[in-house]
Amino acid sequence: GAGVSQSPSNKVTEKGKDVELRCDPISGHTALYWYRQSLGQGLEFLIYFQGNSAPDKSGLPSDRFSAERTGGSVSTLTIQRTQQEDSAVYLCASSPSSGPYNEQFFGPGTRLTVL
Amino acid sequence: TQLLEQSPQFLSIQEGENLTVYCNSSSVFSSLQWYRQEPGEGPVLLVTVVTGGEVKKLKRLTFQFGDARKDSSLHITAAQPGDTGLYLCAGEGGNAGNMLTFGGGTRLMVKP
């Protein structure tokens, strides 16, 4: 079956512009996560959606970052007024549930470059 | 804030050598996962360890969870060029609930 897909794979934008990153999780997965990864480093948690519950936004670095998940499936991460320090790979992952020991299935990421 | 520290950050070895990657924390985790990430791709789960002292083997890879469930190690025997990649540990539980806290990663390069 299809894995997690993300689009675009690469995005180059100018400082101050807004960008939208899309994630299509594995069908039936109720949990969805966004992470940020800089220069092949570890993953920085951004936001977590579980079913119809209110998202956990505790990892969002500033109010320029927001995300939504429509119909419990597709998610969009929006970065407003992008800054150079926003340049990174943004990874999306989905999981069958929010229970323990659940594997997270990752998409290939969107590489964002802010000039 | 729970932190997972991985060491070493970078490792370059010759094919056939053995290596160990460490993942340490002052926090207790209910489980610990190891992922491997190749360039241009997302991380892929290798193993989940749950019980303190648990040892799991995956071909030439041996994973161990510390008795106190605060640390873990990954040992690779007779490394192959195909083992090259970024290895990430991720702890679940504690203050983060079912969320995963990721370590900073160990970038491994195995030269033929």
Side-chain angles (χ1 to χ4, degrees), chain B residues 81-92:
Chain B
D83 296 328
T84 294
L86 179 68
Y87 290 81
L88 296 157
C89 65
E92 180 181 26

Side-chain angles (χ1 to χ4, degrees), chain A residues 48-90:
Chain A
Y48 159 57
F49 296 89
Q50 170 54 41
N52 295 321
S53 301
D56 179 346
K57 304 179 182 180
S58 60
L60 294 178
S62 78
D63 58 9
R64 296 186 294 105
F65 288 72
S66 63
E68 62 178 20
R69 188 178 185 192
T70 54
S73 181
V74 172
S75 177
T76 302
L77 176 69
T78 301
I79 308 174
Q80 296 178 312
R81 305 181 303 282
T82 52
Q83 303 294 313
Q84 289 182 333
E85 60 262 29
D86 299 334
S87 295
V89 175
Y90 289 82

Side-chain angles (χ1 to χ4, degrees), chain A residues 3-11 18-27 32-35 46-47 49 66-79 89-94 105-112:
Chain A
V4 177
S5 62
Q6 292 186 245
S7 61
S9 54
N10 283 284
K11 176 72 176 178
D18 297 351
V19 295
E20 284 190 353
L21 312 180
R22 177 186 168 107
C23 172
D24 283 85
I26 293 173
S27 177
L32 186 148
Y33 308 80
W34 282 98
Y35 296 91
L46 297 177
I47 188 169
F49 296 89
S66 63
E68 62 178 20
R69 188 178 185 192
T70 54
S73 181
V74 172
S75 177
T76 302
L77 176 69
T78 301
I79 308 174
V89 175
Y90 289 82
L91 290 162
C92 172
S94 69
F105 295 81
F106 285 85
T110 293
R111 180 175 295 278
L112 175 66

